[in-house]
Amino acid sequence: MQKLISFFNQKALYVFIFVLLTTVFFAKYIPQLIIDPSSDGLMIKDDPQKEFYEQTLEKFGSDNVVVIYLKDKEMFSVEKVQLLAKLINRLEDYKYTQSVHAVFNQKNIIWRDGGLITEPFIDTYYPPQTEDEVIQFKNDALYNPILQNNLLNDDATVMSINVNIEPNEGMEGYDSIIKDDINQILTMLDGEIKEYFQIGSPYFKSQLIDYIISDQLTLIPISVALLFIVLLISLRSFANALLPLVTSSISVIWTFGFMAIFDIPINLITVIIPSLLIVIGATEDTHMASEYMEGIRKKKIRKLAIEYMGSKIGLAILLTAATTVAGFASIIANDIVILRQFGIVTVFALVSNFLITMSFVPAYLHFFGTKHPPKEQDHARFAHVSNIIDKYFAYISAKKVPIIAVVSAVTLLMAAGIFQIKINNDTISYFKESSDIRQKSDIVDRELSGVQSFYLTVDANEKNAFKKPHFLQELERISNKLKSVEKFDKVIGVNDHISLMNREMHEGDKSFYKIPDNEFLIQQYLLMFHENDLSSYVTSDYSEANIVVKHNITSSYELNALTDELQTYFKKHIDPSLELTFTGEKILVNQAADTIAKGQAFSLIIILVIIFILMSALFVNIKAGLLSIVPNLIPIFFVFGVMGYFGIDLNIGTAMVAAIAIGIAVDDTIHLMVRYNKEMKLLNDQDLAIKETLKHEFRPVFSTSIALFLGFSVLVVSNFIPVIYFGMLSALVMLLALICDFLITPILLSSTRLITLWDMIAFDLKENVFKSKIFKGMKRWHIKKLILSSNIKTVKAHEHIIKQGQRQRSFFLILDGQAYASINYDDQSKKLKTFYPGDIFGEIALSADIERTADVIAQNDCTLLEFDWQSLEKIGKIMPNITSRFFLNLSGIMGVRLAETTDSLIHKDS
Amino acid sequence: MQKLFIAMLFLVSAIHLSAKTGLEIMQMQDERQSTQTEYIHEQMLLISGNGDKEARQVIKNIKQMQEGQNRALVTFIEPASIKGTALLTWEQVERDDDQWLYMTALGKMQRIAKGSKKNYFMGTDFTYEDMSSENLDNFDYTIIDEEQVEGHDCWVIEAKPIESYKKDTSYSKRVLWVAKDIYSTVKIDFYGRNGDLIKTQQSKEFENIEGTVYRAKMTLMNNFKEDHKTLIKTVKTQINKPIKDEVFTERYILNGLHTQVR
């Protein structure tokens, strides 16, 4: 890494040119970037049910409907009826209209004046001229059960006009055009109709696009401003504070270009990528800029400061970048299209950002890096912080058990909240209650039947089945069951039309509002309809019927639970030859809700496994893997608890929190662990090493956590509920992870000695050490691991390692250098033996509390391993298998030594 | 010079066209094609947008009464489920026609209170208006072109409702192709109230029934608006054969005599 940074420093100009050209390349594609307001992305990828839904649409008509809501107490006055008739004509004439459905042009099937009427309620070109005619129209409309609460409310003060719009997927901005044109047409109602507005698919989609754009226009500037302020405070250099913004902006351009090239749209989730990228991407730059500042303080000149920075930017940055990317990558495993796209794009964005940072930062600093070192007052502050940390650590060390007990208890309590989490993928619930779209939708739900709808298709797999009483009566039973559900506002099927005809052919006798038993009568009634009168409710071959259900349920779990319950009921009570399928955009999106939960669990497992494997491998210790996960898993349980207890649904936004947040939060734990490993090598004392780690890492860990906390908090201003909760909960994780890093991590670290893979590879040992009797039968890898886990001591030439007569229960192994043993008696000393690398000495003292029988003095500079019971116990805990072999060898050596001593004593006596 | 020649040609053809007015042609057609009675046995094929088909057979008895107004009885004879279902119409002057619907399964005649001529007839793409005899006073007829259709030289006549009749028709205009040789309408384009072409009726295989009376053996109504078609094939046509007045009565229908095929 150091070499790479040094290389980029030297080739700064080339880096600039390369980054510039690549940025231009990606920027070129940005105009092709599309905003996708459809709910397709919320569905499951390649869902076979989607195909079924599309077929249903083909059979029973489009779902691209503009709903015009009208409210006026005097709706049925001559003037207003005439105006609305004119409006309907205008809407029918509109070039993208397929059909218009309003009370006015529906078929009025009614027995009146001694005869049957089967014509539209009114002729919109020649609307009623008199009060009587209008009253007649109103009474007829209120009498029609199919219109009730559908196109007209109970007291005829609220009306809806449904305009089916031609599908035109390819046309750019189609939904906005429709929305604007319809609004333009509606201006004719200004001052005439008290309250009116449009809602429905084109409005919904066009509004969604507006919200997405508005999100971009607010989130990006706020993120940029916030980040800049945080960086300016922590780095105290304008040029350096600007740096993360420059790299983030470049990454955003690359990412947008990437999205355009691969046809990934901006949708209600990918909309947050730029602001996320600005915040998350800045962490690496911040670390680098901060090391550069340290470099300037120490080395004074830019070039050397950059070299210094390179030497410090190593393992930690690479690891943290990897875990963050892994967190986002785990989202790709999701089957929900929108989440998969989010995962893909963020992985590209973060990898690009990492590459840009690594190459561009040295180049940028080469030209623009500040030349002024930070003021010395920082050091006074450091001393103050150091003092506090000493006291703090002493406190938590003393209260280890209660702290762990309290944290565990609270975590378990919060984790219990998981069972109360509800899954929701309902699109309407993605908007704020205060949003225009939600308010309008609520009004329509309240005053008329729900804006939301789904279909229940009933397939008899038999031509003309729905001309037969049996099947129609089954349909009627299904329909009645649906009507009995309070949350369903309106249920319409072909059975309603036939029942209505039956009633009116019996002179309006209500008892005849049912399917007749006579098949011929049904077929004769059907002569009164044109195929298209019923095309929304039955196929032209009468083999398949469609029940339209309008409702106001805005939560997936509620709708899913209801449809499941109904499906069970129908299985029991309805002719099994009928195939019943719930379908509709809502149903598909809702069904994806379960996939969200599965995807969330899968992503979380993936990221945990990745972090565990990575950290276990890196620190050559499974415990290290667990240690990196535990402090970050606690906040996740907390977040789940918060969601459960506070009723925050699991949706496309909140489902991402766990995996993403853990990938980011683990970064600080890694920084702490890597630092601890370094300090441990230097200080050889766990408590001291932890204190030093906390002192040095407090500031960067605290500031990045706060920056991330603020960065995620920015998302609260989004227009979309999933984004808001994603931001809030992720911010919460950042805060909780910070607390855990300073509360739990030190406690866990204090019982662990960390060695990194790098240490193992780089550790150079004399060949004789490997051949030492104490390591007999052990692999080189295990020998290295054992040595690195022990106390390494260095002793200068002629210094004492052991002093005769001292009581010291430890023994030594020479790793490098030579030492000799000498015995003192009668003021004379006699050199007994020379020890070389691989030799051990003083082992007898380990087994018995006796005085040292000789001096051991370093002949030259020596590196030694000292083993005492305490250290052996620690190693035993970390590496039980290796240690048992070590003890076996040790007892062998001691046995031999005992035999030798006994032998020498016998010889001496004789 | 060339321009002047072309202008002259237009003038000459205009004079030639104006030799007969649209109304005159329509009147001549009316004279030539009208009958005292008519019995038609038809096969109907209703074709939905996705190609689904439904076949029916009907017999029509039509009689011009002394007042000049028609009485018509349309009876379904196939399929069995609708056999006997009938619609009896008594045309009226200056007021809505009287109509009664007979459904065998109900066993009684039901009066159609307000027989809107704009409604589709029994699920076909023909409205009652399309099937009734045309009152020439209700329209302005203008010859707009001459064209050959189905091998016939035709006058292309635009029929626009007069102001007072606009309310009673669903069409802003119709364009009729009237064959010069047989004075029969070969093709009609129907334009909706908003001016859009909504359906086209095309007839072929004209057969001389008697004298100047010609009837098409095949008529297709292509309804663009509803994405639906109705094909009518004539099995038998008899004209000016006596049809008793009692055929057009409730008693006749209730006795089940109306389903008799000639």
Side-chain angles (χ1 to χ4, degrees):
Chain A
M1 192 68 87
Q2 189 175 356
K3 281 180 188 165
L4 210 61
I5 287 178
S6 174
F7 173 78
F8 290 132
N9 181 20
Q10 285 160 21
K11 309 280 180 194
L13 192 64
Y14 292 106
V15 170
F16 266 110
I17 293 169
F18 174 77
V19 171
L20 182 73
L21 289 178
T22 317
T23 308
V24 169
F25 167 79
F26 281 115
K28 212 176 64 183
Y29 287 95
I30 293 179
Q32 294 169 27
L33 194 59
I34 45 166
I35 300 178
D36 179 20
S38 73
S39 57
D40 287 7
L42 297 171
M43 297 174 189
I44 304 164
K45 190 174 178 280
D46 303 327
D47 186 356
Q49 294 195 37
K50 194 177 169 196
E51 202 180 318
F52 181 86
Y53 169 58
E54 277 157 9
Q55 285 168 1
T56 305
L57 279 188
E58 232 166 80
K59 285 178 205 160
F60 301 109
S62 141
D63 62 345
N64 198 17
V65 182
V66 171
V67 177
I68 297 166
Y69 168 90
L70 307 149
K71 185 178 185 178
D72 198 310
K73 279 187 178 168
E74 305 298 318
M75 189 85 81
F76 283 84
S77 69
V78 174
E79 297 75 25
K80 282 172 187 173
V81 164
Q82 287 181 350
L83 179 72
L84 292 174
K86 211 178 277 175
L87 171 72
I88 289 164
N89 294 338
R90 288 272 303 271
L91 291 167
E92 270 179 343
D93 287 351
Y94 178 51
K95 58 185 168 183
Y96 297 122
T97 297
Q98 260 182 348
S99 57
V100 178
H101 302 272
V103 178
F104 291 61
N105 60 7
Q106 295 302 292
K107 202 171 224 177
N108 182 17
I109 301 171
I110 189 168
W111 180 269
R112 181 157 37 86
D113 302 334
L116 184 76
I117 298 171
T118 59
E119 60 173 9
F121 280 91
I122 61 163
D123 183 340
T124 52
Y125 282 85
Y126 294 92
Q129 301 290 323
T130 66
E131 198 72 32
D132 288 349
E133 284 175 322
V134 168
I135 288 169
Q136 184 70 68
F137 166 35
K138 179 179 160 181
N139 291 341
D140 283 359
L142 286 172
Y143 177 69
N144 188 308
I146 294 169
L147 299 182
Q148 256 170 32
N149 281 327
N150 178 17
L151 296 173
L152 190 70
N153 76 341
D154 286 341
D155 62 0
T157 54
V158 177
M159 197 184 270
S160 84
I161 300 173
N162 298 349
V163 187
N164 278 51
I165 300 294
E166 275 178 19
N168 200 343
E169 305 278 317
M171 190 165 152
E172 204 179 322
Y174 186 56
D175 295 309
S176 291
I177 293 170
I178 301 289
K179 184 191 87 174
D180 294 344
D181 288 351
I182 298 283
N183 271 344
Q184 179 58 39
I185 294 171
L186 292 180
T187 54
M188 64 188 278
L189 305 180
D190 281 353
E192 303 290 339
I193 299 292
K194 203 162 180 219
E195 192 184 346
Y196 66 87
F197 57 78
Q198 66 161 309
I199 194 166
S201 182
Y203 172 80
F204 187 86
K205 288 178 185 169
S206 139
Q207 203 68 11
L208 197 65
I209 291 177
D210 290 348
Y211 285 149
I212 287 173
I213 294 169
S214 133
D215 256 19
Q216 289 291 24
L217 295 178
T218 43
L219 292 180
I220 296 179
I222 296 177
S223 305
V224 167
L226 196 73
L227 182 68
F228 189 69
I229 294 165
V230 172
L231 291 174
L232 209 56
I233 293 168
S234 66
L235 298 174
R236 300 202 187 96
S237 153
F238 184 83
N240 287 2
L242 201 63
L243 176 62
L245 295 179
V246 174
T247 54
S248 303
S249 306
I250 296 170
S251 311
V252 169
I253 294 172
W254 287 26
T255 305
F256 276 155
F258 171 83
M259 287 170 77
I261 292 168
F262 290 95
D263 287 333
I264 299 176
I266 300 183
N267 50 44
L268 63 97
I269 285 298
T270 53
V271 66
I272 60 173
I273 292 175
S275 52
L276 266 190
L277 191 54
I278 289 166
V279 178
I280 299 168
T283 53
E284 287 141 11
D285 309 57
T286 316
H287 279 287
M288 289 175 84
S290 142
E291 295 297 351
Y292 170 81
M293 295 293 268
E294 190 63 14
I296 276 287
R297 197 171 64 79
K298 286 185 174 159
K299 312 278 179 182
K300 312 289 183 217
I301 48 173
R302 268 183 191 156
K303 191 172 175 246
L304 293 177
I306 296 169
E307 299 285 332
Y308 175 86
M309 176 185 82
S311 73
K312 293 285 171 185
I313 296 300
L315 189 60
I317 289 250
L318 197 67
L319 263 184
T320 53
T323 52
T324 305
V325 169
F328 282 96
S330 70
I331 306 293
I332 301 174
N334 212 301
D335 272 344
I336 309 281
V337 178
I338 204 168
L339 292 181
R340 190 178 277 237
Q341 288 171 341
F342 179 80
I344 293 169
V345 176
T346 45
V347 165
F348 172 85
L350 291 170
V351 170
S352 305
N353 186 71
F354 181 75
L355 296 176
I356 292 166
T357 303
M358 287 303 130
S359 57
F360 188 78
V361 170
Y364 175 90
L365 292 172
H366 180 91
F367 292 111
F368 308 110
T370 181
K371 290 174 182 170
H372 309 291
K375 286 172 190 163
E376 290 299 320
Q377 61 172 12
D378 282 3
H379 290 271
R381 204 172 288 171
F382 180 77
H384 183 63
V385 168
S386 171
N387 199 14
I388 293 173
I389 283 173
D390 280 345
K391 282 182 188 160
Y392 167 76
F393 184 66
Y395 180 79
I396 60 164
S397 296
K399 307 267 180 191
K400 266 185 200 176
V401 177
I403 289 174
I404 291 190
V406 169
V407 170
S408 306
V410 176
T411 307
L412 279 175
L413 187 74
M414 293 305 279
I418 291 177
F419 301 104
Q420 294 184 34
I421 296 177
K422 287 174 176 168
I423 311 160
N424 198 0
N425 194 29
D426 191 279
T427 29
I428 281 282
S429 70
Y430 285 177
F431 297 94
K432 291 180 191 171
E433 274 180 23
S434 59
S435 67
D436 190 45
I437 212 163
R438 189 84 184 258
Q439 289 198 336
K440 285 180 176 172
S441 162
D442 287 347
I443 291 174
V444 180
D445 286 343
R446 208 171 45 236
E447 310 263 359
L448 283 169
S449 58
V451 178
Q452 326 242 24
S453 63
F454 67 80
Y455 308 118
L456 174 61
T457 64
V458 185
D459 194 353
N461 290 306
E462 180 191 316
K463 271 194 170 185
N464 296 322
F466 289 102
K467 286 181 178 174
K468 294 177 181 169
H470 167 69
F471 290 107
L472 279 166
Q473 281 160 357
E474 285 298 285
L475 201 65
E476 193 176 41
R477 288 173 60 206
I478 295 167
S479 183
N480 286 342
K481 177 69 188 166
L482 293 168
K483 282 172 188 168
S484 73
V485 178
E486 203 186 320
K487 291 268 181 178
F488 296 161
D489 298 325
K490 192 74 199 173
V491 178
I492 314 170
V494 64
N495 52 303
D496 290 301
H497 291 81
I498 294 167
S499 297
L500 175 64
M501 185 60 85
N502 193 33
R503 182 181 82 178
E504 297 313 309
M505 287 299 276
H506 287 88
E507 298 168 21
D509 184 342
K510 281 178 187 165
S511 63
F512 283 92
Y513 191 81
K514 61 179 184 184
I515 299 294
D517 293 325
N518 185 334
E519 182 182 342
F520 283 4
L521 185 58
I522 291 167
Q523 298 209 25
Q524 288 167 20
Y525 282 160
L526 286 172
L527 286 172
M528 306 299 285
F529 295 95
H530 188 270
E531 185 192 299
N532 283 3
D533 292 335
L534 303 174
S535 61
S536 300
Y537 309 103
V538 68
T539 49
S540 50
D541 66 354
Y542 284 80
S543 67
E544 201 177 339
N546 181 39
I547 299 177
V548 180
V549 181
K550 293 193 173 188
H551 63 93
N552 56 34
I553 298 168
T554 54
S555 78
S556 301
Y557 45 86
E558 204 175 332
L559 187 56
N560 281 354
L562 260 176
T563 51
D564 286 350
E565 191 189 311
L566 286 167
Q567 197 66 273
T568 316
Y569 176 88
F570 294 145
K571 258 184 202 151
K572 271 190 197 163
H573 298 97
I574 297 297
D575 179 348
S577 73
L578 292 172
E579 263 177 54
L580 274 71
T581 315
F582 286 95
T583 192
E585 202 174 300
K586 287 272 163 249
I587 296 279
L588 284 184
V589 169
N590 284 348
Q591 270 168 359
D594 289 340
T595 311
I596 290 182
K598 283 179 205 146
Q600 131 112 352
F602 193 52
S603 297
L604 192 58
I605 291 167
I606 288 178
I607 183 68
L608 289 176
V609 168
I610 289 175
I611 293 174
F612 178 74
I613 292 174
L614 199 70
M615 298 303 280
S616 300
L618 188 80
F619 288 100
V620 221
N621 188 348
I622 286 176
K623 202 174 162 190
L626 286 173
L627 205 149
S628 57
I629 284 174
V630 171
N632 296 299
L633 210 51
I634 293 169
I636 299 300
F637 281 124
F638 256 81
V639 161
F640 282 143
V642 168
M643 287 173 70
Y645 293 129
F646 290 90
I648 300 170
D649 297 333
L650 187 74
N651 56 36
I652 46 158
T654 53
M656 301 190 297
V657 174
I660 292 176
I662 217 167
I664 299 168
V666 80
D667 292 359
D668 285 337
T669 316
I670 292 171
H671 278 292
L672 290 174
M673 288 168 76
V674 170
R675 186 82 191 202
Y676 172 71
N677 164 257
K678 279 183 190 166
E679 297 295 343
M680 198 58 202
K681 272 192 278 183
L682 284 173
L683 302 166
N684 220 343
D685 181 297
Q686 279 164 312
D687 285 357
L688 271 180
I690 290 173
K691 279 186 202 171
E692 283 307 303
T693 303
L694 292 181
K695 283 172 197 172
H696 285 97
E697 290 297 327
F698 174 76
R699 195 163 148 180
V701 166
F702 184 80
S703 60
T704 49
S705 294
I706 294 299
L708 285 166
F709 168 78
L710 292 172
F712 279 114
S713 302
V714 166
L715 300 179
V716 170
V717 301
S718 167
N719 287 302
F720 304 108
I721 299 283
V723 173
I724 294 172
Y725 281 121
F726 170 74
M728 269 168 62
L729 295 175
S730 298
L732 183 66
V733 175
M734 296 301 125
L735 216 54
L736 291 169
L738 175 70
I739 295 169
C740 286
D741 272 335
F742 286 106
L743 191 67
I744 304 296
T745 311
I747 294 174
L748 296 177
L749 277 179
S750 65
S751 62
T752 315
R753 179 157 191 147
L754 297 175
I755 325 157
T756 68
L757 191 61
W758 275 213
D759 295 335
M760 296 278 282
I761 293 164
F763 191 43
D764 198 17
L765 272 181
K766 290 270 185 308
E767 198 50 39
N768 278 349
V769 176
F770 290 117
K771 288 176 184 162
S772 171
K773 284 173 188 165
I774 194 99
F775 297 134
K776 194 180 161 194
M778 288 165 73
K779 287 175 183 160
R780 293 172 81 92
W781 184 256
H782 289 155
I783 297 169
K784 276 192 173 186
K785 194 173 175 187
L786 193 137
I787 293 171
L788 283 166
S789 307
S790 310
N791 294 334
I792 300 174
K793 228 176 169 181
T794 50
V795 180
K796 294 247 183 300
H798 312 303
E799 277 182 9
H800 272 81
I801 301 167
I802 289 176
K803 275 191 177 165
Q804 193 179 334
Q806 266 186 344
R807 284 177 186 270
Q808 189 185 22
R809 299 192 69 174
S810 66
F811 75 97
F812 296 88
L813 167 75
I814 298 197
L815 296 176
D816 202 9
Q818 288 166 17
Y820 61 89
S822 74
I823 191 162
N824 303 313
Y825 60 93
D826 305 337
D827 292 333
Q828 286 185 358
S829 73
K830 187 187 170 190
K831 195 171 172 182
L832 291 176
K833 194 180 178 186
T834 305
F835 299 108
Y836 299 96
D839 286 348
I840 65 162
F841 52 87
E843 69 279 5
I844 297 295
L846 192 72
S847 53
D849 186 16
I850 49 167
E851 290 182 354
R852 297 283 192 190
T853 51
D855 283 337
V856 179
I857 299 158
Q859 202 162 306
N860 42 29
D861 288 353
C862 276
T863 310
L864 304 150
L865 278 189
E866 184 179 6
F867 297 100
D868 55 16
W869 281 116
Q870 207 186 346
S871 65
L872 283 172
E873 211 174 305
K874 276 190 182 173
I875 299 167
K877 277 184 194 165
I878 304 167
M879 300 166 287
N881 294 337
I882 301 174
T883 329
S884 64
R885 181 77 214 180
F886 181 80
F887 278 119
L888 193 68
N889 291 339
L890 182 64
S891 56
I893 291 167
M894 285 170 81
V896 170
R897 193 62 54 91
L898 195 65
E900 281 174 5
T901 314
T902 313
D903 198 33
S904 73
L905 283 173
I906 291 167
H907 279 94
K908 200 178 171 184
D909 286 351
S910 63
Chain B
M1 190 63 192
Q2 199 181 2
K3 278 183 189 167
L4 185 68
F5 177 69
I6 292 167
M8 289 286 285
L9 259 182
F10 269 110
L11 191 64
V12 168
S13 59
I15 292 164
H16 176 72
L17 284 175
S18 68
K20 276 196 188 93
T21 64
L23 180 63
E24 282 166 353
I25 293 164
M26 294 308 289
Q27 281 166 342
M28 286 181 76
Q29 183 188 32
D30 194 31
E31 278 164 26
R32 285 165 170 252
Q33 304 304 334
S34 69
T35 53
Q36 283 305 305
T37 65
E38 198 157 342
Y39 167 87
I40 314 155
H41 178 181
E42 286 174 347
Q43 285 176 339
M44 264 183 193
L45 199 62
L46 274 57
I47 308 158
S48 65
N50 62 9
D52 280 336
K53 293 181 183 82
E54 193 185 328
R56 295 173 185 172
Q57 282 196 36
V58 292
I59 46 174
K60 294 177 181 170
N61 284 289
I62 304 159
K63 184 175 185 180
Q64 199 176 78
M65 305 307 283
Q66 280 167 350
E67 310 83 53
Q69 305 307 315
N70 284 339
R71 285 187 186 170
L73 176 65
V74 181
T75 309
F76 287 89
I77 53 166
E78 261 185 38
S81 58
I82 54 170
K83 186 175 179 182
T85 301
L87 182 77
L88 174 65
T89 308
W90 285 18
E91 284 184 2
Q92 300 295 341
V93 195
E94 304 295 323
R95 69 173 178 90
D96 287 338
D97 297 344
D98 289 327
Q99 276 189 321
W100 295 267
L101 180 70
Y102 175 69
M103 288 183 179
T104 52
L106 268 182
K108 57 179 178 181
M109 294 283 276
Q110 296 285 34
R111 197 174 73 83
I112 305 281
K114 215 172 154 190
S116 172
K117 290 194 164 188
K118 289 169 254 170
N119 277 359
Y120 288 116
F121 167 76
M122 300 285 180
T124 68
D125 294 289
F126 294 87
T127 60
Y128 291 100
E129 181 184 2
D130 302 338
M131 297 168 76
S132 344
S133 55
E134 190 162 328
N135 185 342
L136 301 183
D137 296 338
N138 289 334
F139 298 92
D140 287 326
Y141 298 96
T142 318
I143 301 170
I144 52 168
D145 204 351
E146 290 184 28
E147 242 175 50
Q148 206 180 51
V149 178
E150 293 288 339
H152 299 276
D153 281 330
C154 299
W155 288 289
V156 184
I157 299 168
E158 187 182 73
K160 281 187 168 174
I162 57 167
E163 200 54 44
S164 60
Y165 191 69
K166 276 183 181 169
K167 196 184 166 186
D168 298 312
T169 170
S170 21
Y171 311 118
S172 59
K173 69 171 182 186
R174 287 170 301 142
V175 178
L176 304 106
W177 279 259
V178 179
K180 290 179 179 175
D181 50 353
I182 54 172
Y183 279 85
S184 289
T185 305
V186 182
K187 183 182 166 189
I188 311 172
D189 277 348
F190 298 86
Y191 291 83
R193 286 245 181 82
N194 60 359
D196 289 347
L197 176 65
I198 51 172
K199 57 184 189 178
T200 294
Q201 175 189 315
Q202 212 152 352
S203 305
K204 58 183 178 185
E205 296 178 32
F206 281 86
E207 192 185 20
N208 183 224
I209 308 294
E210 191 187 285
T212 58
V213 179
Y214 284 82
R215 292 290 181 263
K217 290 195 101 174
M218 299 271 260
T219 298
L220 175 74
M221 180 68 95
N222 192 348
N223 193 337
F224 311 115
K225 192 182 169 195
E226 309 283 3
D227 189 24
H228 197 265
K229 288 175 193 158
T230 304
L231 179 69
I232 292 177
K233 194 177 164 193
T234 309
V235 180
K236 188 176 186 181
T237 308
Q238 282 182 345
I239 58 165
N240 298 332
K241 297 270 165 68
I243 301 177
K244 290 178 185 165
D245 286 356
E246 65 169 28
V247 168
F248 306 99
T249 62
E250 185 176 353
R251 194 157 44 92
Y252 184 81
I253 297 167
L254 289 176
N255 286 336
L257 302 168
H258 62 304
T259 53
Q260 286 170 2
V261 180
R262 284 188 202 172

